């Protein structure tokens, strides 16, 4: 007797091997949406990083100018300028 025969000979059993095309397409769509989300996060991060860099550079330059004015003994004038800027 052969033990490998299906139980119902009129309807052979179908063994699934691998993935179907629809499963692969769904996986590709889900992966693409995830990658698009990551790309959006990357762009937002770069934009925020650039604005933080500009703010940092402005603070460094302002501090440098203030220190130069202080070294020349013009602190009162520098303080008056800074206060006039903030009062606007």
């Amino acid at each position: 007797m052969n033990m490998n025969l299906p139980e119902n000979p009129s309807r052979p059993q179908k063994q699934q091997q691998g993935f179907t095309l629809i499963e692969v397409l769904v996986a590709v769509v889900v992966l693409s949406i995830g990658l698009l989300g990551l790309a959006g996060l990357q762009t937002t991060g770069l934009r925020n990083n650039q604005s933080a860099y500009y703010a940092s550079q402005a603070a460094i330059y302002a501090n440098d100018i203030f220190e130069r004015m202080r070294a020349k003994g013009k602190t009162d004038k520098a303080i008056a300028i800074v206060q006039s800027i903030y009062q606007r």
Side-chain angles (χ1 to χ4, degrees):
M1 280 206 197
N2 192 353
M3 295 293 196
N4 293 332
L5 292 175
E7 292 178 12
N8 188 355
S10 63
R11 186 172 166 200
Q13 289 182 341
K14 177 181 166 187
Q15 292 183 356
Q16 182 180 1
Q17 295 179 357
F19 298 105
T20 64
L21 185 60
I22 295 197
E23 290 172 334
V24 172
L25 287 174
V26 168
V28 167
V29 166
V30 168
L31 185 64
S32 324
I33 291 171
L35 288 176
L36 283 173
L38 284 176
L41 284 174
Q42 182 73 18
T43 340
T44 304
L46 285 174
R47 190 178 321 120
N48 290 338
N49 189 23
Q50 188 69 25
S51 68
Y53 173 75
Y54 289 147
S56 169
Q57 290 298 311
I60 290 171
Y61 291 143
N63 189 33
D64 182 54
I65 291 170
F66 186 74
E67 289 295 325
R68 288 181 189 194
M69 292 176 80
R70 188 173 64 96
K72 290 182 181 179
K74 300 180 180 178
T75 20
D76 294 335
K77 190 173 188 177
I79 291 172
I81 291 172
V82 170
Q83 286 176 346
S84 71
I85 290 172
Y86 283 115
Q87 289 176 356
R88 291 182 189 177

